[in-house]
């Protein structure tokens, strides 16, 4: 088994169960603008490509809806205020990160979540994380599955690709790892199941967070 000293993590569905808070903010925005709401399972299918794409999928007719921009803004404002209401780390994640830190591993989070929310959540839950990067179009960094956020994280960590691995829960993460020229480990506790991940090219899986320690070394 190949060993790594640098771990690049996705956030939603990998480190944090954020689904309930995302769904609450989606439905708050839809309700505020007299649009039909969605179930938790609907929102689960919508996530993975950033919050704008999430709302494109949630709003009838997507960005073609004349109320899309204001509905998206309402979502953003509500989520930044309520991103910690029910969000919590998956069982075993805090212990995993503490152990990786003790072993001298470097860690980053790269997310398609808004930059402010990504950094807020990582600061609150995961002091062991060295670098947290979210979506920020003004910086000219393309969101996943483009490799930009991963490459930026590796640069900030002063880490080499040959010793780094990407950890995520979705098809976007698999593609991001491929575009970043990193191996990918897919987690089975997140928003997608093994059948879905296998269909999208996943080859390495962990069913519990502490299994990732088997990959930590050097």
């Amino acid at each position: 088994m190949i060993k790594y000293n640098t771990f690049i993590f996705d956030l939603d569905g990998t480190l944090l169960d954020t689904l309930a808070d995302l769904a609450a903010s989606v439905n708050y925005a839809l309700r505020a603008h007299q649009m039909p709401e969605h179930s938790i399972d609907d929102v689960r299918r919508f996530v993975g490509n950033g919050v704008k794409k999430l709302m494109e999928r949630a709003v009838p007719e997507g960005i073609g809806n004349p109320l899309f921009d204001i509905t998206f803004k309402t979502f953003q404002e509500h989520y930044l205020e309520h991103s910690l209401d029910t969000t919590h780390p998956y069982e075993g994640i805090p212990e995993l990160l503490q152990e990786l830190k003790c072993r001298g591993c470097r860690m980053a989070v790269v997310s398609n979540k808004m930059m402010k929310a990504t950094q807020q959540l990582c600061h609150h839950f995961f002091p062991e994380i060295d670098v947290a990067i979210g979506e920020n179009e003004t910086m000219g960094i393309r969101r996943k599955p483009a490799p930009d956020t991963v490459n930026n994280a590796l640069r900030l960590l002063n880490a080499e690709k040959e010793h780094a691995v990407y950890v995520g829960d979705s098809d976007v993460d698999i593609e991001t790892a491929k575009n970043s020229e990193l191996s990918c480990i897919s987690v089975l506790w997140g928003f997608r199941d093994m059948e879905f991940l296998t269909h999208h090219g996943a080859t390495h899986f962990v069913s519990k967070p502490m299994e990732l320690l088997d990959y930590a070394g050097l």
Side-chain angles (χ1 to χ4, degrees), residues 91-93 95-97 99 189 208-214:
E91 184 177 357
I93 289 294
E95 294 81 3
L96 166 69
L97 299 184
E99 182 59 27
W189 55 78
K208 296 179 180 179
M210 296 303 277
E211 292 176 11
L212 283 166
L213 294 179
D214 294 338

Side-chain angles (χ1 to χ4, degrees), residues 70-87:
I70 191 171
T71 306
F72 181 42
K73 183 179 180 181
T74 301
F75 163 82
Q76 290 177 301
E77 292 172 348
H78 187 271
Y79 186 68
L80 286 174
E81 290 292 326
H82 296 274
S83 64
L84 294 173
D85 286 2
T86 65
T87 287

Side-chain angles (χ1 to χ4, degrees), residues 124-150:
H124 181 81
F125 288 110
F126 307 126
E128 301 86 1
I129 294 294
D130 302 297
V131 172
I133 299 174
E135 184 177 37
N136 189 335
E137 295 179 357
T138 62
M139 294 177 61
I141 297 176
R142 296 171 296 171
R143 59 185 175 86
K144 301 186 296 183
D148 299 29
T149 50
V150 173

Side-chain angles (χ1 to χ4, degrees), residues 54-133:
L54 165 62
M55 290 306 293
E56 283 183 33
R57 292 164 174 163
V59 170
E61 301 178 24
I63 58 175
N65 190 310
L67 295 178
F68 176 81
D69 287 343
I70 191 171
T71 306
F72 181 42
K73 183 179 180 181
T74 301
F75 163 82
Q76 290 177 301
E77 292 172 348
H78 187 271
Y79 186 68
L80 286 174
E81 290 292 326
H82 296 274
S83 64
L84 294 173
D85 286 2
T86 65
T87 287
H88 59 277
Y90 288 101
E91 184 177 357
I93 289 294
E95 294 81 3
L96 166 69
L97 299 184
Q98 290 166 15
E99 182 59 27
L100 287 174
K101 194 72 171 181
C102 287
R103 295 189 185 191
C105 293
R106 288 169 284 190
M107 294 175 284
V109 162
V110 294
S111 176
N112 279 341
K113 187 185 290 293
M114 294 174 289
M115 178 73 83
K116 185 175 180 179
T118 298
Q119 294 182 338
Q120 178 186 59
L121 289 167
C122 287
H123 177 76
H124 181 81
F125 288 110
F126 307 126
E128 301 86 1
I129 294 294
D130 302 297
V131 172
I133 299 174

